[in-house]
């Protein structure tokens, strides 16, 4: 079914992302995942398409306009590629550039944004700590003002892109306990007192780098405070909305890929004298997958429409996040089942997606936290 919100521009953008994924990423997906890394030039090629510059001025290397439908078309086509590790690594800049554009000082914006948005350098967002990620208001990393510097002490973990990033947005405590005492900081990877180490052997996203970051009397200029002191919690929360919407669209692409692969396989695989697709149980699996995919798309379209109207539908986004991760888990599971033993072998997109469903239900706000948030938004 044609998306009723499509325009020529949106369609052309979507096609350019799909072409990029098919030509530049998919042929290498298995090799890069097994290697646990991929060439840096992929960042530059992806960024050259303007994938992450929405809502950011051209003066800083951005696209000069915003469109939620295009953001989501990008995420969906990347997700359809079926290699989440590459998407996580190139896409992690998208969860920090909006904060930099909105709240870093002019010098940082002019210096760092063009580097990050062109793909020459990486950027990462550090919120989660070894002590926990769900309760953002409980961040323990501390920043203390000393003269014309901030001194950071603490640690962040599970930071996507953290090993290769040159620039970070870091949440740290500058005031009292709770959300009202948090601030955001811009930290360069060469800041004194900053080190990092790799988190290895993940369940999925093998080709992405994930880091633990350490701040030991890490000194950054006073001007690297982003926005107002102690007002970082609200900035981080608003930023999560875009991350979650991006993830929903990525999950839509992943679910679609599962269904398409399963349908293609069921068309040629024969059991009991006929193609699998002619067995009613398999046909029902396809119907169940397809209905969930339609629902995901409808939800995402509705949210995009609202975001383009300058309304940030927090409740709808949190509901969509857990709805999409549950729907994706269903589609990946059914697709794997249709493949039978063939799906159990490493290197197939469905096998990769199956391993990557879990992180979509945890990262960017877990399914439990999303349900909590949705109900709170209902005033309960
Ligand atoms: C591969 C990967 C990449 C990531 N990338 C980044 C990144 O780039 N930047 C970043 O900052 N973070 C990142 N994260 C961290 C991610 O955001 C956190 O893992 C997530 O927020 C959950 O935090 P936690 O793992 O500490 O779990 P916890 O907060 O310890 O929670 C554990 C479990 O308990 C549940 N739970 C917690 N509180 C409640 C409650 N009140 N009621 C019911 N259930 C509850 C949670 O949903 C979860 O299932 C990444 C994580 C992974 C796995």
């Amino acid at each position: 079914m044609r998306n009723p919100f499509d325009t020529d521009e949106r369609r052309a953008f979507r096609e350019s992302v799909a072409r990029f994924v098919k030509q530049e990423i998919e042929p290498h997906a298995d090799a890069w995942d097994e290697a646990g890394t991929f060439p840096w030039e992929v960042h530059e090629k992806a960024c050259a398409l303007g994938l992450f510059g929405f809502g950011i001025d051209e003066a800083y290397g951005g696209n000069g306009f915003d469109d939620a439908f295009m953001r989501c078309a990008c995420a969906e086509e990347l997700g359809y590629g079926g290699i989440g590790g590459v998407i996580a690594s190139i896409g992690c800049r998208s969860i920090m550039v909006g904060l930099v554009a909105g709240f870093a000082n002019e010098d940082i914006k002019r210096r760092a944004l063009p580097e990050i948005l062109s793909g020459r350098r990486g950027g990462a967002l550090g919120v989660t700590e070894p002590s926990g990620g769900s309760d953002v208001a409980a961040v323990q990393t501390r920043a203390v003002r000393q003269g014309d510097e901030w001194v950071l002490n603490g640690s962040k973990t599970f930071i996507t892109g953290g090993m290769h990033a040159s620039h970070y947005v870091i949440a740290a405590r500058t005031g009292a306990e709770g959300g009202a005492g948090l601030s955001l900081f811009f930290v360069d990877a060469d800041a004194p007192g900053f080190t990092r180490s790799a988190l290895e052997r993940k369940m999925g996203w093998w080709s992405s780098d994930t880091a633990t970051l350490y701040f030991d009397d890490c000194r950054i200029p006073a001007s690297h405070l982003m926005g107002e002191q102690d007002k970082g919690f609200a900035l981080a929360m608003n930023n999560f909305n875009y991350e979650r919407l991006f993830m929903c669209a990525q999950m839509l692409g992943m679910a679609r890929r599962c269904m398409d692969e399963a349908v293609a396989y069921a068309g040629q695989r024969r059991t009991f004298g006929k193609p699998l697709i002619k067995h009613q149980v398999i046909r029902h699996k396809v119907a169940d997958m397809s209905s969930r995919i339609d629902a995901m798309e409808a939800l995402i379209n509705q949210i995009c429409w609202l975001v383009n109207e300058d309304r940030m539908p927090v409740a709808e986004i949190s509901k969509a996040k857990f709805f999409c991760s549950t729907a994706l888990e269903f589609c990946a599971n059914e697709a794997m089942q249709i493949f039978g033993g063939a799906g159990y072998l490493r290197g197939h997109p469905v096998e990769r997606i199956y391993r990557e469903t879990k992180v979509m239900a945890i990262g960017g706000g877990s399914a439990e936290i999303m349900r909590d948030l949705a109900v709170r938004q209902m005033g309960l």
Side-chain angles (χ1 to χ4, degrees), residues 125-128 132-134 158-160 202 205 359 362-364 366 368-369 372:
L125 174 69
V127 176
T128 303
S134 299
F158 284 115
I159 307 309
T160 302
K202 298 189 294 290
W205 283 11
V359 69
I362 295 171
S366 70
E368 291 77 12
I369 299 304
D372 263 3

mmCIF file with all atom_site columns, all heavy atoms in Angstrom, residues 125-128 132-134 158-160 202 205 359 362-364 366 368-369 372, ligand 1:
data_model
loop_
_atom_site.group_PDB
_atom_site.id
_atom_site.type_symbol
_atom_site.label_atom_id
_atom_site.label_alt_id
_atom_site.label_comp_id
_atom_site.label_asym_id
_atom_site.label_entity_id
_atom_site.label_seq_id
_atom_site.pdbx_PDB_ins_code
_atom_site.Cartn_x
_atom_site.Cartn_y
_atom_site.Cartn_z
_atom_site.occupancy
_atom_site.B_iso_or_equiv
_atom_site.pdbx_formal_charge
_atom_site.auth_seq_id
_atom_site.auth_comp_id
_atom_site.auth_asym_id
_atom_site.auth_atom_id
_atom_site.pdbx_PDB_model_num
ATOM   1   N N   . LEU A 1 125 ? 26.386 9.705   22.606 1.00 0.00 ? 125 LEU A N   1
ATOM   2   C CA  . LEU A 1 125 ? 25.636 10.253  23.734 1.00 0.00 ? 125 LEU A CA  1
ATOM   3   C C   . LEU A 1 125 ? 25.846 9.355   24.948 1.00 0.00 ? 125 LEU A C   1
ATOM   4   O O   . LEU A 1 125 ? 25.615 8.143   24.871 1.00 0.00 ? 125 LEU A O   1
ATOM   5   C CB  . LEU A 1 125 ? 24.142 10.308  23.379 1.00 0.00 ? 125 LEU A CB  1
ATOM   6   C CG  . LEU A 1 125 ? 23.185 10.723  24.496 1.00 0.00 ? 125 LEU A CG  1
ATOM   7   C CD1 . LEU A 1 125 ? 23.373 12.199  24.860 1.00 0.00 ? 125 LEU A CD1 1
ATOM   8   C CD2 . LEU A 1 125 ? 21.730 10.488  24.073 1.00 0.00 ? 125 LEU A CD2 1
ATOM   9   N N   . GLY A 1 126 ? 26.262 9.927   26.067 1.00 0.00 ? 126 GLY A N   1
ATOM   10  C CA  . GLY A 1 126 ? 26.508 9.143   27.273 1.00 0.00 ? 126 GLY A CA  1
ATOM   11  C C   . GLY A 1 126 ? 25.566 9.507   28.400 1.00 0.00 ? 126 GLY A C   1
ATOM   12  O O   . GLY A 1 126 ? 25.740 10.549  29.056 1.00 0.00 ? 126 GLY A O   1
ATOM   13  N N   . VAL A 1 127 ? 24.557 8.673   28.597 1.00 0.00 ? 127 VAL A N   1
ATOM   14  C CA  . VAL A 1 127 ? 23.619 8.859   29.709 1.00 0.00 ? 127 VAL A CA  1
ATOM   15  C C   . VAL A 1 127 ? 23.759 7.691   30.689 1.00 0.00 ? 127 VAL A C   1
ATOM   16  O O   . VAL A 1 127 ? 23.940 7.880   31.892 1.00 0.00 ? 127 VAL A O   1
ATOM   17  C CB  . VAL A 1 127 ? 22.160 8.965   29.206 1.00 0.00 ? 127 VAL A CB  1
ATOM   18  C CG1 . VAL A 1 127 ? 21.190 9.065   30.383 1.00 0.00 ? 127 VAL A CG1 1
ATOM   19  C CG2 . VAL A 1 127 ? 22.000 10.165  28.284 1.00 0.00 ? 127 VAL A CG2 1
ATOM   20  N N   . THR A 1 128 ? 23.687 6.457   30.155 1.00 0.00 ? 128 THR A N   1
ATOM   21  C CA  . THR A 1 128 ? 23.681 5.250   30.997 1.00 0.00 ? 128 THR A CA  1
ATOM   22  C C   . THR A 1 128 ? 24.990 5.088   31.771 1.00 0.00 ? 128 THR A C   1
ATOM   23  O O   . THR A 1 128 ? 26.072 5.361   31.243 1.00 0.00 ? 128 THR A O   1
ATOM   24  C CB  . THR A 1 128 ? 23.462 4.013   30.106 1.00 0.00 ? 128 THR A CB  1
ATOM   25  O OG1 . THR A 1 128 ? 22.243 4.194   29.385 1.00 0.00 ? 128 THR A OG1 1
ATOM   26  C CG2 . THR A 1 128 ? 23.361 2.741   30.943 1.00 0.00 ? 128 THR A CG2 1
ATOM   27  N N   . GLY A 1 132 ? 23.136 2.016   36.349 1.00 0.00 ? 132 GLY A N   1
ATOM   28  C CA  . GLY A 1 132 ? 21.808 1.901   35.761 1.00 0.00 ? 132 GLY A CA  1
ATOM   29  C C   . GLY A 1 132 ? 21.520 2.922   34.679 1.00 0.00 ? 132 GLY A C   1
ATOM   30  O O   . GLY A 1 132 ? 22.152 3.982   34.633 1.00 0.00 ? 132 GLY A O   1
ATOM   31  N N   . GLY A 1 133 ? 20.554 2.557   33.810 1.00 0.00 ? 133 GLY A N   1
ATOM   32  C CA  . GLY A 1 133 ? 20.209 3.426   32.698 1.00 0.00 ? 133 GLY A CA  1
ATOM   33  C C   . GLY A 1 133 ? 18.762 3.879   32.703 1.00 0.00 ? 133 GLY A C   1
ATOM   34  O O   . GLY A 1 133 ? 18.436 4.943   32.189 1.00 0.00 ? 133 GLY A O   1
ATOM   35  N N   . SER A 1 134 ? 17.878 3.070   33.318 1.00 0.00 ? 134 SER A N   1
ATOM   36  C CA  . SER A 1 134 ? 16.454 3.423   33.257 1.00 0.00 ? 134 SER A CA  1
ATOM   37  C C   . SER A 1 134 ? 16.151 4.691   34.046 1.00 0.00 ? 134 SER A C   1
ATOM   38  O O   . SER A 1 134 ? 15.390 5.546   33.591 1.00 0.00 ? 134 SER A O   1
ATOM   39  C CB  . SER A 1 134 ? 15.609 2.276   33.830 1.00 0.00 ? 134 SER A CB  1
ATOM   40  O OG  . SER A 1 134 ? 15.792 1.105   33.079 1.00 0.00 ? 134 SER A OG  1
ATOM   41  N N   . PHE A 1 158 ? 27.801 1.177   28.039 1.00 0.00 ? 158 PHE A N   1
ATOM   42  C CA  . PHE A 1 158 ? 26.917 0.832   26.909 1.00 0.00 ? 158 PHE A CA  1
ATOM   43  C C   . PHE A 1 158 ? 26.824 1.975   25.904 1.00 0.00 ? 158 PHE A C   1
ATOM   44  O O   . PHE A 1 158 ? 25.780 2.180   25.301 1.00 0.00 ? 158 PHE A O   1
ATOM   45  C CB  . PHE A 1 158 ? 25.507 0.470   27.391 1.00 0.00 ? 158 PHE A CB  1
ATOM   46  C CG  . PHE A 1 158 ? 25.411 -0.897  28.000 1.00 0.00 ? 158 PHE A CG  1
ATOM   47  C CD1 . PHE A 1 158 ? 25.105 -1.068  29.341 1.00 0.00 ? 158 PHE A CD1 1
ATOM   48  C CD2 . PHE A 1 158 ? 25.634 -2.017  27.230 1.00 0.00 ? 158 PHE A CD2 1
ATOM   49  C CE1 . PHE A 1 158 ? 25.025 -2.332  29.906 1.00 0.00 ? 158 PHE A CE1 1
ATOM   50  C CE2 . PHE A 1 158 ? 25.556 -3.289  27.782 1.00 0.00 ? 158 PHE A CE2 1
ATOM   51  C CZ  . PHE A 1 158 ? 25.253 -3.450  29.128 1.00 0.00 ? 158 PHE A CZ  1
ATOM   52  N N   . ILE A 1 159 ? 27.900 2.730   25.735 1.00 0.00 ? 159 ILE A N   1
ATOM   53  C CA  . ILE A 1 159 ? 27.805 3.903   24.869 1.00 0.00 ? 159 ILE A CA  1
ATOM   54  C C   . ILE A 1 159 ? 28.111 3.519   23.417 1.00 0.00 ? 159 ILE A C   1
ATOM   55  O O   . ILE A 1 159 ? 29.241 3.202   23.051 1.00 0.00 ? 159 ILE A O   1
ATOM   56  C CB  . ILE A 1 159 ? 28.744 5.037   25.367 1.00 0.00 ? 159 ILE A CB  1
ATOM   57  C CG1 . ILE A 1 159 ? 28.450 5.321   26.848 1.00 0.00 ? 159 ILE A CG1 1
ATOM   58  C CG2 . ILE A 1 159 ? 28.590 6.268   24.496 1.00 0.00 ? 159 ILE A CG2 1
ATOM   59  C CD1 . ILE A 1 159 ? 26.978 5.569   27.189 1.00 0.00 ? 159 ILE A CD1 1
ATOM   60  N N   . THR A 1 160 ? 27.050 3.557   22.597 1.00 0.00 ? 160 THR A N   1
ATOM   61  C CA  . THR A 1 160 ? 27.181 3.166   21.191 1.00 0.00 ? 160 THR A CA  1
ATOM   62  C C   . THR A 1 160 ? 28.067 4.160   20.453 1.00 0.00 ? 160 THR A C   1
ATOM   63  O O   . THR A 1 160 ? 27.888 5.371   20.570 1.00 0.00 ? 160 THR A O   1
ATOM   64  C CB  . THR A 1 160 ? 25.789 3.118   20.530 1.00 0.00 ? 160 THR A CB  1
ATOM   65  O OG1 . THR A 1 160 ? 24.989 2.197   21.265 1.00 0.00 ? 160 THR A OG1 1
ATOM   66  C CG2 . THR A 1 160 ? 25.886 2.666   19.084 1.00 0.00 ? 160 THR A CG2 1
ATOM   67  N N   . LYS A 1 202 ? 28.827 -8.795  22.359 1.00 0.00 ? 202 LYS A N   1
ATOM   68  C CA  . LYS A 1 202 ? 27.404 -8.505  22.519 1.00 0.00 ? 202 LYS A CA  1
ATOM   69  C C   . LYS A 1 202 ? 26.571 -9.602  21.851 1.00 0.00 ? 202 LYS A C   1
ATOM   70  O O   . LYS A 1 202 ? 27.040 -10.292 20.957 1.00 0.00 ? 202 LYS A O   1
ATOM   71  C CB  . LYS A 1 202 ? 27.072 -7.148  21.865 1.00 0.00 ? 202 LYS A CB  1
ATOM   72  C CG  . LYS A 1 202 ? 27.799 -5.963  22.485 1.00 0.00 ? 202 LYS A CG  1
ATOM   73  C CD  . LYS A 1 202 ? 27.277 -4.641  21.940 1.00 0.00 ? 202 LYS A CD  1
ATOM   74  C CE  . LYS A 1 202 ? 27.546 -4.411  20.474 1.00 0.00 ? 202 LYS A CE  1
ATOM   75  N NZ  . LYS A 1 202 ? 28.940 -4.174  20.132 1.00 0.00 ? 202 LYS A NZ  1
ATOM   76  N N   . TRP A 1 205 ? 24.320 -6.646  17.118 1.00 0.00 ? 205 TRP A N   1
ATOM   77  C CA  . TRP A 1 205 ? 25.047 -5.406  16.787 1.00 0.00 ? 205 TRP A CA  1
ATOM   78  C C   . TRP A 1 205 ? 26.560 -5.642  16.817 1.00 0.00 ? 205 TRP A C   1
ATOM   79  O O   . TRP A 1 205 ? 27.319 -4.808  17.310 1.00 0.00 ? 205 TRP A O   1
ATOM   80  C CB  . TRP A 1 205 ? 24.692 -4.292  17.778 1.00 0.00 ? 205 TRP A CB  1
ATOM   81  C CG  . TRP A 1 205 ? 23.365 -3.636  17.581 1.00 0.00 ? 205 TRP A CG  1
ATOM   82  C CD1 . TRP A 1 205 ? 22.343 -4.031  16.755 1.00 0.00 ? 205 TRP A CD1 1
ATOM   83  C CD2 . TRP A 1 205 ? 22.883 -2.433  18.233 1.00 0.00 ? 205 TRP A CD2 1
ATOM   84  N NE1 . TRP A 1 205 ? 21.282 -3.166  16.864 1.00 0.00 ? 205 TRP A NE1 1
ATOM   85  C CE2 . TRP A 1 205 ? 21.584 -2.189  17.759 1.00 0.00 ? 205 TRP A CE2 1
ATOM   86  C CE3 . TRP A 1 205 ? 23.429 -1.562  19.160 1.00 0.00 ? 205 TRP A CE3 1
ATOM   87  C CZ2 . TRP A 1 205 ? 20.828 -1.103  18.187 1.00 0.00 ? 205 TRP A CZ2 1
ATOM   88  C CZ3 . TRP A 1 205 ? 22.671 -0.477  19.589 1.00 0.00 ? 205 TRP A CZ3 1
ATOM   89  C CH2 . TRP A 1 205 ? 21.387 -0.247  19.106 1.00 0.00 ? 205 TRP A CH2 1
ATOM   90  N N   . VAL A 1 359 ? 17.824 -5.706  21.850 1.00 0.00 ? 359 VAL A N   1
ATOM   91  C CA  . VAL A 1 359 ? 18.358 -4.378  22.160 1.00 0.00 ? 359 VAL A CA  1
ATOM   92  C C   . VAL A 1 359 ? 17.336 -3.283  21.824 1.00 0.00 ? 359 VAL A C   1
ATOM   93  O O   . VAL A 1 359 ? 17.317 -2.218  22.449 1.00 0.00 ? 359 VAL A O   1
ATOM   94  C CB  . VAL A 1 359 ? 19.709 -4.123  21.437 1.00 0.00 ? 359 VAL A CB  1
ATOM   95  C CG1 . VAL A 1 359 ? 19.545 -3.993  19.939 1.00 0.00 ? 359 VAL A CG1 1
ATOM   96  C CG2 . VAL A 1 359 ? 20.398 -2.893  22.009 1.00 0.00 ? 359 VAL A CG2 1
ATOM   97  N N   . ILE A 1 362 ? 15.269 -2.663  24.788 1.00 0.00 ? 362 ILE A N   1
ATOM   98  C CA  . ILE A 1 362 ? 15.997 -2.200  25.981 1.00 0.00 ? 362 ILE A CA  1
ATOM   99  C C   . ILE A 1 362 ? 16.562 -0.794  25.774 1.00 0.00 ? 362 ILE A C   1
ATOM   100 O O   . ILE A 1 362 ? 16.360 0.101   26.592 1.00 0.00 ? 362 ILE A O   1
ATOM   101 C CB  . ILE A 1 362 ? 17.155 -3.189  26.313 1.00 0.00 ? 362 ILE A CB  1
ATOM   102 C CG1 . ILE A 1 362 ? 16.589 -4.551  26.709 1.00 0.00 ? 362 ILE A CG1 1
ATOM   103 C CG2 . ILE A 1 362 ? 18.040 -2.616  27.420 1.00 0.00 ? 362 ILE A CG2 1
ATOM   104 C CD1 . ILE A 1 362 ? 17.630 -5.651  26.849 1.00 0.00 ? 362 ILE A CD1 1
ATOM   105 N N   . GLY A 1 363 ? 17.300 -0.608  24.664 1.00 0.00 ? 363 GLY A N   1
ATOM   106 C CA  . GLY A 1 363 ? 17.970 0.669   24.421 1.00 0.00 ? 363 GLY A CA  1
ATOM   107 C C   . GLY A 1 363 ? 16.980 1.808   24.190 1.00 0.00 ? 363 GLY A C   1
ATOM   108 O O   . GLY A 1 363 ? 15.846 1.577   23.775 1.00 0.00 ? 363 GLY A O   1
ATOM   109 N N   . GLY A 1 364 ? 17.424 3.016   24.493 1.00 0.00 ? 364 GLY A N   1
ATOM   110 C CA  . GLY A 1 364 ? 16.590 4.204   24.244 1.00 0.00 ? 364 GLY A CA  1
ATOM   111 C C   . GLY A 1 364 ? 15.365 4.274   25.135 1.00 0.00 ? 364 GLY A C   1
ATOM   112 O O   . GLY A 1 364 ? 14.434 5.031   24.863 1.00 0.00 ? 364 GLY A O   1
ATOM   113 N N   . SER A 1 366 ? 13.623 1.268   28.011 1.00 0.00 ? 366 SER A N   1
ATOM   114 C CA  . SER A 1 366 ? 13.144 -0.113  27.913 1.00 0.00 ? 366 SER A CA  1
ATOM   115 C C   . SER A 1 366 ? 11.617 -0.167  27.803 1.00 0.00 ? 366 SER A C   1
ATOM   116 O O   . SER A 1 366 ? 10.918 0.812   28.093 1.00 0.00 ? 366 SER A O   1
ATOM   117 C CB  . SER A 1 366 ? 13.579 -0.899  29.150 1.00 0.00 ? 366 SER A CB  1
ATOM   118 O OG  . SER A 1 366 ? 12.849 -0.431  30.263 1.00 0.00 ? 366 SER A OG  1
ATOM   119 N N   . GLU A 1 368 ? 9.536  -1.596  29.666 1.00 0.00 ? 368 GLU A N   1
ATOM   120 C CA  . GLU A 1 368 ? 8.873  -1.345  30.965 1.00 0.00 ? 368 GLU A CA  1
ATOM   121 C C   . GLU A 1 368 ? 8.798  0.169   31.233 1.00 0.00 ? 368 GLU A C   1
ATOM   122 O O   . GLU A 1 368 ? 7.746  0.692   31.642 1.00 0.00 ? 368 GLU A O   1
ATOM   123 C CB  . GLU A 1 368 ? 9.650  -2.016  32.108 1.00 0.00 ? 368 GLU A CB  1
ATOM   124 C CG  . GLU A 1 368 ? 9.613  -3.541  32.102 1.00 0.00 ? 368 GLU A CG  1
ATOM   125 C CD  . GLU A 1 368 ? 10.532 -4.171  31.079 1.00 0.00 ? 368 GLU A CD  1
ATOM   126 O OE1 . GLU A 1 368 ? 11.385 -3.458  30.502 1.00 0.00 ? 368 GLU A OE1 1
ATOM   127 O OE2 . GLU A 1 368 ? 10.410 -5.387  30.844 1.00 0.00 ? 368 GLU A OE2 1
ATOM   128 N N   . ILE A 1 369 ? 9.914  0.838   30.988 1.00 0.00 ? 369 ILE A N   1
ATOM   129 C CA  . ILE A 1 369 ? 9.946  2.286   31.246 1.00 0.00 ? 369 ILE A CA  1
ATOM   130 C C   . ILE A 1 369 ? 9.013  3.008   30.275 1.00 0.00 ? 369 ILE A C   1
ATOM   131 O O   . ILE A 1 369 ? 8.352  4.000   30.644 1.00 0.00 ? 369 ILE A O   1
ATOM   132 C CB  . ILE A 1 369 ? 11.409 2.802   31.136 1.00 0.00 ? 369 ILE A CB  1
ATOM   133 C CG1 . ILE A 1 369 ? 12.294 2.111   32.193 1.00 0.00 ? 369 ILE A CG1 1
ATOM   134 C CG2 . ILE A 1 369 ? 11.491 4.323   31.264 1.00 0.00 ? 369 ILE A CG2 1
ATOM   135 C CD1 . ILE A 1 369 ? 11.830 2.254   33.628 1.00 0.00 ? 369 ILE A CD1 1
ATOM   136 N N   . ASP A 1 372 ? 5.539  2.691   31.640 1.00 0.00 ? 372 ASP A N   1
ATOM   137 C CA  . ASP A 1 372 ? 5.401  3.612   32.778 1.00 0.00 ? 372 ASP A CA  1
ATOM   138 C C   . ASP A 1 372 ? 5.139  5.038   32.290 1.00 0.00 ? 372 ASP A C   1
ATOM   139 O O   . ASP A 1 372 ? 4.238  5.725   32.772 1.00 0.00 ? 372 ASP A O   1
ATOM   140 C CB  . ASP A 1 372 ? 6.708  3.629   33.600 1.00 0.00 ? 372 ASP A CB  1
ATOM   141 C CG  . ASP A 1 372 ? 6.635  2.706   34.803 1.00 0.00 ? 372 ASP A CG  1
ATOM   142 O OD1 . ASP A 1 372 ? 5.609  2.018   34.955 1.00 0.00 ? 372 ASP A OD1 1
ATOM   143 O OD2 . ASP A 1 372 ? 7.608  2.678   35.580 1.00 0.00 ? 372 ASP A OD2 1
HETATM 144 C C1  . LIG B 2 .   ? 23.801 -2.365  22.738 1.00 0.00 ? 1   LIG B C1  1
HETATM 145 C C2  . LIG B 2 .   ? 23.393 -1.219  23.610 1.00 0.00 ? 1   LIG B C2  1
HETATM 146 C C3  . LIG B 2 .   ? 23.672 0.079   23.206 1.00 0.00 ? 1   LIG B C3  1
HETATM 147 C C4  . LIG B 2 .   ? 23.366 1.163   24.036 1.00 0.00 ? 1   LIG B C4  1
HETATM 148 N N1  . LIG B 2 .   ? 23.723 2.436   23.659 1.00 0.00 ? 1   LIG B N1  1
HETATM 149 C C5  . LIG B 2 .   ? 23.597 3.459   24.545 1.00 0.00 ? 1   LIG B C5  1
HETATM 150 C C6  . LIG B 2 .   ? 24.112 4.765   24.262 1.00 0.00 ? 1   LIG B C6  1
HETATM 151 O O1  . LIG B 2 .   ? 24.614 5.026   23.156 1.00 0.00 ? 1   LIG B O1  1
HETATM 152 N N2  . LIG B 2 .   ? 24.018 5.725   25.217 1.00 0.00 ? 1   LIG B N2  1
HETATM 153 C C7  . LIG B 2 .   ? 23.451 5.494   26.432 1.00 0.00 ? 1   LIG B C7  1
HETATM 154 O O2  . LIG B 2 .   ? 23.417 6.403   27.252 1.00 0.00 ? 1   LIG B O2  1
HETATM 155 N N3  . LIG B 2 .   ? 22.940 4.271   26.726 1.00 0.00 ? 1   LIG B N3  1
HETATM 156 C C8  . LIG B 2 .   ? 23.002 3.255   25.827 1.00 0.00 ? 1   LIG B C8  1
HETATM 157 N N4  . LIG B 2 .   ? 22.501 2.015   26.123 1.00 0.00 ? 1   LIG B N4  1
HETATM 158 C C9  . LIG B 2 .   ? 21.941 1.778   27.440 1.00 0.00 ? 1   LIG B C9  1
HETATM 159 C C10 . LIG B 2 .   ? 20.434 1.603   27.472 1.00 0.00 ? 1   LIG B C10 1
HETATM 160 O O3  . LIG B 2 .   ? 19.811 2.825   27.272 1.00 0.00 ? 1   LIG B O3  1
HETATM 161 C C11 . LIG B 2 .   ? 20.096 0.979   28.828 1.00 0.00 ? 1   LIG B C11 1
HETATM 162 O O4  . LIG B 2 .   ? 20.554 -0.375  28.793 1.00 0.00 ? 1   LIG B O4  1
HETATM 163 C C12 . LIG B 2 .   ? 18.638 1.021   29.163 1.00 0.00 ? 1   LIG B C12 1
HETATM 164 O O5  . LIG B 2 .   ? 18.222 2.340   29.393 1.00 0.00 ? 1   LIG B O5  1
HETATM 165 C C13 . LIG B 2 .   ? 18.324 0.183   30.425 1.00 0.00 ? 1   LIG B C13 1
HETATM 166 O O6  . LIG B 2 .   ? 19.206 0.478   31.455 1.00 0.00 ? 1   LIG B O6  1
HETATM 167 P P1  . LIG B 2 .   ? 19.977 -0.704  32.229 1.00 0.00 ? 1   LIG B P1  1
HETATM 168 O O7  . LIG B 2 .   ? 20.540 -1.623  31.213 1.00 0.00 ? 1   LIG B O7  1
HETATM 169 O O8  . LIG B 2 .   ? 20.902 -0.082  33.184 1.00 0.00 ? 1   LIG B O8  1
HETATM 170 O O9  . LIG B 2 .   ? 18.862 -1.497  32.991 1.00 0.00 ? 1   LIG B O9  1
HETATM 171 P P2  . LIG B 2 .   ? 18.232 -1.126  34.437 1.00 0.00 ? 1   LIG B P2  1
HETATM 172 O O10 . LIG B 2 .   ? 17.878 0.304   34.482 1.00 0.00 ? 1   LIG B O10 1
HETATM 173 O O11 . LIG B 2 .   ? 19.133 -1.655  35.495 1.00 0.00 ? 1   LIG B O11 1
HETATM 174 O O12 . LIG B 2 .   ? 16.925 -2.015  34.377 1.00 0.00 ? 1   LIG B O12 1
HETATM 175 C C14 . LIG B 2 .   ? 16.988 -3.443  34.341 1.00 0.00 ? 1   LIG B C14 1
HETATM 176 C C15 . LIG B 2 .   ? 15.623 -3.982  33.945 1.00 0.00 ? 1   LIG B C15 1
HETATM 177 O O13 . LIG B 2 .   ? 14.660 -3.590  34.912 1.00 0.00 ? 1   LIG B O13 1
HETATM 178 C C16 . LIG B 2 .   ? 13.611 -2.884  34.269 1.00 0.00 ? 1   LIG B C16 1
HETATM 179 N N5  . LIG B 2 .   ? 13.178 -1.798  35.162 1.00 0.00 ? 1   LIG B N5  1
HETATM 180 C C17 . LIG B 2 .   ? 13.922 -0.772  35.633 1.00 0.00 ? 1   LIG B C17 1
HETATM 181 N N6  . LIG B 2 .   ? 13.167 0.023   36.389 1.00 0.00 ? 1   LIG B N6  1
HETATM 182 C C18 . LIG B 2 .   ? 11.927 -0.507  36.406 1.00 0.00 ? 1   LIG B C18 1
HETATM 183 C C19 . LIG B 2 .   ? 10.686 -0.147  37.000 1.00 0.00 ? 1   LIG B C19 1
HETATM 184 N N7  . LIG B 2 .   ? 10.563 0.984   37.704 1.00 0.00 ? 1   LIG B N7  1
HETATM 185 N N8  . LIG B 2 .   ? 9.613  -0.937  36.812 1.00 0.00 ? 1   LIG B N8  1
HETATM 186 C C20 . LIG B 2 .   ? 9.713  -2.061  36.064 1.00 0.00 ? 1   LIG B C20 1
HETATM 187 N N9  . LIG B 2 .   ? 10.862 -2.453  35.470 1.00 0.00 ? 1   LIG B N9  1
HETATM 188 C C21 . LIG B 2 .   ? 11.937 -1.685  35.621 1.00 0.00 ? 1   LIG B C21 1
HETATM 189 C C22 . LIG B 2 .   ? 14.196 -2.350  32.984 1.00 0.00 ? 1   LIG B C22 1
HETATM 190 O O14 . LIG B 2 .   ? 13.197 -2.125  32.020 1.00 0.00 ? 1   LIG B O14 1
HETATM 191 C C23 . LIG B 2 .   ? 15.127 -3.474  32.605 1.00 0.00 ? 1   LIG B C23 1
HETATM 192 O O15 . LIG B 2 .   ? 14.376 -4.457  31.948 1.00 0.00 ? 1   LIG B O15 1
HETATM 193 C C24 . LIG B 2 .   ? 22.722 0.928   25.272 1.00 0.00 ? 1   LIG B C24 1
HETATM 194 C C25 . LIG B 2 .   ? 22.382 -0.373  25.646 1.00 0.00 ? 1   LIG B C25 1
HETATM 195 C C26 . LIG B 2 .   ? 22.714 -1.444  24.856 1.00 0.00 ? 1   LIG B C26 1
HETATM 196 C C27 . LIG B 2 .   ? 22.364 -2.833  25.302 1.00 0.00 ? 1   LIG B C27 1
#
